[in-house]
Amino acid sequence: MPELIIADASCLIVLTKIGQLDLLRQLYGTATTTPTVAAEYGLPLPAWIKQEAATDAARQLLLALLVDAGEASAIALALERPGCTLILDDYKARKTAEKLAVQLTGTFGVLLRAKRQGLVPAVKPLLDQIRQTNFRFSSALEMEILKQAGE
């Protein structure tokens, strides 16, 4: 059974900005996101990204008190889909999801997996491209990612 991936907007946006959105399809076959995240993304989604809303609206509203609406919808959906992996970058949202025992990765985890599977030759040039966007990350995080990538 293929791995179920639920993507938040930051991953979709940053991968689109650096021309690497298709890495999700190459790695996972399909991805899922919520209608709220799709609206935040703001562009038409490729056919291989499915939309699914969480069914527990009350849970989603409670989560929205802690994190933004897109992240709340993605976490709520992940809680309804045991065994899925949620791609989430925002620190506060990640901490919230971790407390709820949601399996996580982030955009950088996607890039590391793409390198391990030979889909990209190096992570460093992609990090350099990401630095040119409004996606913020520390130098310490960059060094850790490059270490994990063997670069």
Side-chain angles (χ1 to χ4, degrees):
M1 186 167 178
E3 184 176 1
L4 174 61
I5 290 295
I6 298 172
D8 185 42
S10 65
C11 175
L12 300 175
I13 292 167
V14 100
L15 289 177
T16 297
K17 285 182 177 181
I18 66 167
Q20 296 292 333
L21 183 62
D22 198 56
L23 282 178
L24 291 176
R25 184 194 56 76
Q26 292 175 57
L27 288 168
Y28 306 109
T30 63
T32 301
T33 198
T34 68
T36 306
V37 168
E40 287 180 359
Y41 177 59
L43 297 170
L45 291 170
W48 52 267
I49 298 180
K50 309 298 180 209
Q51 289 187 54
E52 182 180 339
T55 57
D56 189 337
R59 176 189 286 155
Q60 186 170 325
L61 286 172
L62 287 172
L63 287 165
L65 297 173
L66 303 171
V67 297
D68 84 21
E71 293 157 351
S73 69
I75 294 169
L77 181 59
L79 289 168
E80 294 176 8
R81 303 298 299 271
C84 74
T85 299
L86 177 58
I87 305 172
L88 200 55
D89 292 316
D90 179 79
Y91 179 79
K92 188 175 182 181
R94 287 177 69 92
K95 289 300 174 193
T96 300
E98 284 172 359
K99 288 177 185 173
L100 297 168
V102 172
Q103 183 174 314
L104 294 173
T105 192
T107 300
F108 295 147
V110 170
L111 297 179
L112 287 168
R113 185 171 177 161
K115 181 173 181 192
R116 279 188 228 109
Q117 292 189 13
L119 298 174
V120 296
V123 172
K124 175 82 169 99
L126 299 175
L127 294 180
D128 292 343
Q129 287 181 288
I130 292 171
R131 279 250 184 247
Q132 302 306 309
T133 72
N134 62 347
F135 189 88
R136 298 182 315 268
F137 57 99
S138 69
S139 296
L141 178 58
E142 181 174 11
M143 289 181 1
E144 178 59 30
I145 298 303
L146 292 174
K147 179 181 172 185
Q148 289 181 37
E151 298 177 32

